Amino acid sequence: MNGYLALTYWDLAAASVFLILNAIFSIALNLGLARTLIVSALRMTVQLVLVGLILKAIFFAGSLWWTLLAAAVMAAFAAREIRARQKRRLDGFWGVGLGAGAMLLAGSLVTLYALAGLIRPEPVWQPQYALPLFGMILGNTMTGVSLGLDTLHTALAQGKREVEARLLLGGTRWEATRPALRQALRSGFTPIINAMAATGVVSLPGMMTGQILSGVDPREAVKYQLMIMFLLGGATGLGVLGATFASIWRLTDTRHRLRLDRLDKR
Amino acid sequence: MLTIEKLRTSLVGPVDLALAKGSFTAISGPSGAGKSLLLRAIADLDLSHGSLMLEGTEREKMPAPVWRRQVSFVPAESGWWAEDVRDHFTDAPDLESLLEAVGLKDALCWQVSRLSTGERQRLALIRALQLGPKVLLLDEPTSALDPPSVARVEILMKDFTASGCAILFVTHDPDQPDRLGARHLYMEKGRLSAFPSREHTQ
C-alpha cells in the first residue's frame, strides 16, 4: 500500500519514553501512580500484541468458525464489563443476562446489516471487516447499556417514594417510571451524542486517522467514519432502549408494583 | 364496602377486616408492628395473599391502577416527582375548594422544595382525594400538623365518610379515634385485635 510507513519494535520502545518519564516523575514526587501506570501500560502491550497475533492467525485461516469464536470472546468480555460497571444490578441471571442480551442483540443486528447490506465483503463474514466492525459497535453499545442501566437502577432505588407515589395515584408501571427511564436513556445516549458532536472538530476519530495514516484518501476515510458513526449511534440507541425497557419490565410486575427486591442487595 | 380476608404478607397477617360504608376505622400500635405494611398490602403495593373485595369485586379482577384509584393509600411520607406543586394535580373541578378546605388555597403555584412537612402532608391528602376514591387508607394523616390544621383535615375526613366512603387510618394520637367516632383497632406483631381499654395503653 503506498504511503504506508511500517514501525519497528525499536520505534515503539522510543515512543514509550514519555510514558516512562511520567513514571519517573511519579516516583520522584511520590504520587503513587507509577505502579498502576506501568502495570496498565504493560497489560495493554501484552493484550494488543496477543490480539495482533490472534487476528493475524484468524485472517490467515479465513474460517467462519474461528471468526465466530473471536466474536463470542469479545462479547463475553463486554458482558462482564457491563456487569462490573453497574453499582446496583439485577439479581441472579438477569444481572448479566439482561444487559448483555440487549447489547448483543443490538450489536449483532447492526453489524450484520452493515456487513450484508453496506460493506458487502466476500464472504460476508470476512474477519478483516467483521471483527473490527463488531468490536467497535460492541464497545460503544456496551458503554451506553452499562451507563443506562446504572442510571436507571440508581434512579429507581433512590426515587422509590416518587415512583410509588405515582403508582398509588393510579399510574401504570410505565407512567410511574417515566422520569427514571428518561434519565437513564439520556445518560446512555450521552457518550455517543458527545462523540458525534466533537468528531472532526476536537479530534480525528481513531479509525479515520488509521486509514489516513495508511494512505487512504481522506475523503474516503471520512465516508467510512461517517458510516461507522451512524452504525454506532444506531446500535447504542437500540441497545440502551432495549436494556432499560427490559430492566423496568423486570423491576416491576403485572400488578404494577415496584420490585426493588429484584435488585442485588449490596 | 371493603372486605379483607386472610390478608398476609411476609411480615403482616393474617388479617381479617371489613370497612363499612361511611365508617372510620383507626389502627394504633407500637412502631414496627406492621401498620404501614398492612396499608401497603391493601393498596397492592407489596406482594400479598388473601382475598380483598371492593363492593363485591375481587382485587385481582381489576388492574392494579384501577384498584389503587378506588382504594387510595396516602403514605406517611409522600413522594413528589416534579418541581412544581401544580404538576402533581389533575384539573379536578373540586380541587380549588379542597385546597381551600385545608388552608392551602394558593399552593398550586408553589415549588415542592419549599413546602413544609405539614403542607406536604395536606397536599398529599388532597392529591389522593381529587381522584374520587371509595376507600382512603391514611398513614398518620395529621402527624405533622398544628391543631388548627388537624381540625381542618378531620372535617375534610368527616365530609368524605359522610358521602358514603370509608377511611382506614393509622394514628398515634390517642384522642383522634374518638374525635372521629372511629372503630379502634390495635396492631402488634402483624396482627390486628380490638383496642385494649384505656388503662393498658402506652
Side-chain angles (χ1 to χ4, degrees):
Chain A
M1 220 184 276
N2 72 8
Y4 173 69
L5 306 173
L7 291 175
T8 68
Y9 284 102
W10 289 114
D11 294 332
L12 288 182
S16 68
V17 157
F18 292 104
L19 195 63
I20 292 169
L21 207 63
N22 276 312
I24 292 171
F25 271 127
S26 164
I27 293 169
L29 296 172
N30 203 11
L31 296 180
L33 288 172
R35 208 185 128 81
T36 27
L37 202 60
I38 292 171
V39 167
S40 34
L42 284 177
R43 194 184 137 170
M44 173 190 73
T45 311
V46 173
Q47 279 174 6
L48 282 182
V49 167
L50 277 179
V51 164
L53 290 175
I54 291 169
L55 282 182
K56 172 105 186 163
I58 290 173
F59 290 179
F60 183 74
S63 140
L64 171 63
W65 296 111
W66 283 112
T67 310
L68 282 179
L69 180 68
V73 171
M74 287 155 68
F77 272 103
R80 215 190 64 161
E81 194 64 23
I82 288 187
R83 187 183 141 84
R85 284 191 199 176
Q86 294 171 61
K87 257 209 310 261
R88 293 186 178 83
R89 56 177 101 93
L90 298 175
D91 61 354
F93 157 79
W94 299 95
V96 180
L98 190 141
M103 169 192 73
L104 210 58
L105 219 63
S108 313
L109 183 77
V110 171
T111 307
L112 287 178
Y113 173 77
L115 285 176
L118 304 174
I119 308 174
R120 286 193 290 266
E122 191 55 51
V124 156
W125 48 267
Q126 197 183 334
Q128 280 94 324
Y129 291 92
L131 287 181
L133 193 67
F134 187 55
M136 274 191 284
I137 289 174
L138 211 57
N140 279 273
T141 314
M142 172 188 86
T143 307
V145 166
S146 47
L147 275 173
L149 286 182
D150 188 46
T151 311
L152 179 73
H153 297 164
T154 304
L156 287 180
Q158 290 178 352
K160 178 182 184 225
R161 200 184 293 162
E162 287 73 26
V163 174
E164 290 193 334
R166 300 193 89 159
L167 291 175
L168 284 172
L169 293 168
T172 65
R173 50 172 157 170
W174 302 107
E175 288 162 357
T177 52
R178 178 86 45 84
L181 175 70
R182 285 184 54 170
Q183 214 180 322
L185 288 178
R186 195 170 305 154
S187 106
F189 274 94
T190 298
I192 194 73
I193 289 174
N194 286 350
M196 287 198 273
T199 285
V201 188
V202 180
S203 67
L204 290 184
M207 192 199 68
M208 194 172 110
T209 312
Q211 282 194 313
I212 293 175
L213 284 181
S214 61
V216 171
D217 183 331
R219 287 171 304 177
E220 289 303 310
V222 162
K223 275 200 241 163
Y224 244 87
Q225 186 63 40
L226 277 178
M227 179 194 71
I228 294 290
M229 291 305 284
F230 291 147
L231 296 176
L232 294 186
T236 307
L238 287 179
V240 174
L241 275 173
T244 44
F245 271 96
S247 189
I248 286 182
W249 169 79
R250 173 69 191 155
L251 285 172
T252 52
D253 62 21
T254 49
R255 294 299 296 174
H256 301 269
R257 303 182 189 106
L258 181 62
R259 297 295 299 273
L260 291 178
D261 54 309
R262 290 175 179 169
L263 277 181
D264 225 351
K265 284 148 210 82
R266 290 221 268 174
Chain B
M1 173 165 230
L2 179 68
T3 327
I4 300 168
E5 281 170 23
K6 299 193 184 65
L7 177 67
R8 267 186 311 111
T9 73
S10 50
L11 297 164
V12 175
V15 165
D16 293 277
L17 186 62
L19 306 183
K21 249 180 191 297
S23 73
F24 275 108
T25 310
I27 302 178
S28 309
S31 300
K35 303 183 295 292
S36 305
L37 289 177
L38 172 64
L39 298 191
R40 283 178 65 91
I42 297 173
D44 210 3
L45 210 52
D46 286 337
L47 214 56
S48 62
H49 304 279
S51 149
L52 286 89
M53 301 235 269
L54 179 69
E55 295 177 323
T57 312
E58 285 265 2
R59 179 172 74 179
E60 276 64 33
K61 291 272 156 56
M62 56 179 103
V66 175
W67 174 265
R68 292 190 192 118
R69 255 178 248 145
Q70 301 184 66
V71 181
S72 189
F73 168 40
V74 183
E77 289 190 55
S78 50
W80 302 87
W81 58 87
E83 277 177 33
D84 295 324
V85 171
R86 185 184 300 280
D87 296 337
H88 298 86
F89 290 82
T90 54
D91 292 321
D94 54 346
L95 179 56
E96 208 131 303
S97 61
L98 284 172
L99 287 170
E100 209 168 342
V102 293
L104 292 170
K105 194 156 61 98
D106 307 319
L108 281 189
C109 318
W110 297 350
Q111 281 189 321
V112 170
S113 57
R114 306 178 75 172
L115 295 177
S116 73
T117 318
E119 286 164 348
R120 279 175 199 239
Q121 198 163 35
R122 282 174 283 164
L123 285 172
L125 178 65
I126 304 300
R127 193 171 66 175
L129 275 176
Q130 59 160 359
L131 296 175
K134 293 177 176 155
V135 176
L136 266 182
L137 312 170
L138 305 177
D139 196 353
E140 301 186 43
T142 55
S143 60
L145 304 184
D146 53 11
S149 298
V150 171
R152 282 188 173 130
V153 167
E154 286 180 355
I155 288 171
L156 199 64
M157 288 166 72
K158 280 180 184 158
D159 287 349
F160 182 72
T161 50
S163 69
C165 303
I167 294 185
L168 173 65
F169 66 102
V170 168
T171 183
H172 287 296
D173 176 347
D175 302 321
Q176 193 166 38
D178 286 344
R179 277 204 306 272
L180 293 169
R183 173 180 161 213
H184 200 177
L185 300 172
Y186 184 72
M187 189 165 208
E188 194 167 25
K189 297 196 182 98
R191 300 292 196 94
L192 272 184
S193 55
F195 196 75
S197 57
R198 237 342 129 66
E199 298 85 74
H200 301 295
T201 58
Q202 67 276 52

